[in-house]
Amino acid sequence: MMETTPAHRVLVVEDEANLADGVKFNLEQEGYEVEVLSDGRSAVERIASGEDPPFDLVILDLMLPEMSGYEVARRTRASGNYVAILMLTAKDDPADIIRGLEEGADDYLTKPFRLDELLARVRVLLRRRRWDGVEPRPEANAEIHVGESVIRFDRFSIETRNETFTLTTREVGLLRALVDREGETVTRGQLLEEVWGLRPDTKTRVIDSFIVRLRKYLERDPSAPEYIVSVRGRGYRFER
Ligand code: CA
């Protein structure tokens, strides 16, 4: 490979020792720096330890001793930490998956999974994070003005007159997908595929709940949106 990248730091939170070892070994073969923890409470503490450089990605099992993966994700986000989170779930119930995404996970993988698929997801998440503004593309707008607010892609925030909202990786991804096509309708299928890595025909309300949140941050009257406009039966359009 021509490309050289600094080693990304990955935290694996998984209580099945064999699986954790296999994941660690394979990530290390790919050049990542890997640390493993086996319960939820230590994971929250470790992520919050403020070590520099911070983790780039947390691979988080859902069913963990001490504290569930949902709770780890929720507390991590509540503390203002926007590290990429890939959730591992033994349940393929869409409600569990969506709850994981809503608690702040950026992506999920259903167990049992193939290690090559895990590695592919890890690469996509780290790359998307770069696109989304943590490591911005040179040509992408770092900030745009919307009414009296400013979307700061570089800071993962929306600053309004009175408040600053911190955005998750996925919220930034969704905004980016809409803003980069200002004035054009972006279909639900495109958003599911580009922002969540889901099949375009996936039946989920996950987009709707994210749109509700973004409107709450950005719109003067979220029930009569001016900027993030619904296009009935198709998707959404960003206008200003
Ligand atoms: Ca487990």
Side-chain angles (χ1 to χ4, degrees):
M1 278 223 311
M2 297 296 291
E3 195 186 354
T4 56
T5 42
H8 280 111
R9 301 188 68 228
V10 181
L11 176 63
V12 177
V13 191
E14 170 60 68
D15 58 319
E16 292 167 46
N18 288 339
L19 180 57
D21 288 347
V23 168
K24 179 174 196 281
F25 176 79
N26 279 273
L27 288 170
E28 284 175 346
Q29 295 297 107
E30 295 280 304
Y32 300 108
E33 245 177 64
V34 186
E35 194 175 316
V36 175
L37 291 173
S38 58
D39 74 89
R41 192 168 301 280
S42 333
V44 169
E45 285 165 12
R46 189 75 186 84
I47 295 164
S49 66
E51 191 184 313
D52 193 42
F55 291 107
D56 298 293
L57 172 72
V58 180
I59 297 177
L60 181 62
D61 186 30
L62 188 56
M63 303 303 280
L64 288 166
E66 307 275 337
M67 190 188 286
S68 74
Y70 293 131
E71 187 63 15
V72 174
R74 200 186 62 72
R75 291 197 190 194
T76 299
R77 295 307 186 220
S79 73
N81 187 313
Y82 296 94
V83 61
I85 298 177
L86 172 61
M87 196 168 267
L88 301 181
T89 164
K91 308 171 175 180
D92 59 1
D93 181 345
D96 290 320
I97 291 164
I98 287 157
R99 181 174 167 207
L101 295 173
E102 288 177 352
E103 297 287 12
D106 295 291
D107 200 2
Y108 69 91
L109 202 53
T110 307
K111 289 178 180 177
F113 53 83
R114 289 165 42 140
L115 280 166
D116 57 353
E117 179 164 17
L118 174 78
L119 296 174
R121 296 293 187 94
V122 166
R123 281 193 293 270
V124 167
L125 269 176
L126 293 171
R127 194 171 65 218
R128 183 180 291 142
R129 192 168 169 74
R130 192 162 66 233
W131 288 345
D132 285 346
V134 173
E135 302 164 48
R137 279 176 293 181
E139 73 275 22
N141 286 331
E143 60 174 64
I144 69 158
H145 291 256
V146 180
E148 293 186 331
S149 306
V150 188
I151 304 173
R152 301 283 316 247
F153 287 106
D154 55 343
R155 293 190 188 169
F156 271 50
S157 68
I158 293 177
E159 292 166 17
T160 69
R161 259 152 64 107
N162 311 312
E163 241 177 310
T164 296
F165 299 101
T166 305
L167 306 173
T168 66
T169 305
R170 198 69 78 173
E171 287 169 340
V172 169
L174 177 56
L175 264 178
R176 191 91 255 183
L178 295 170
V179 166
D180 285 353
R181 296 188 190 82
E182 186 168 351
E184 293 171 37
T185 299
V186 188
T187 66
R188 298 177 62 85
Q190 282 175 300
L191 293 173
L192 286 174
E193 205 167 19
E194 284 177 27
V195 183
W196 279 271
L198 295 170
R199 287 165 44 111
D201 58 352
T202 307
K203 296 278 173 274
T204 162
R205 308 291 294 171
V206 70
I207 297 177
D208 310 68
S209 56
F210 273 72
I211 292 283
V212 166
R213 292 212 305 259
L214 291 180
R215 282 177 174 158
K216 209 164 59 190
Y217 305 149
L218 207 57
E219 301 282 355
R220 276 182 293 201
D221 177 3
S223 64
E226 299 164 76
Y227 308 118
I228 301 175
V229 180
S230 300
V231 183
R232 203 185 163 82
R234 296 204 58 212
Y236 296 93
R237 188 172 61 232
F238 176 72
E239 292 178 347
R240 29 169 201 167

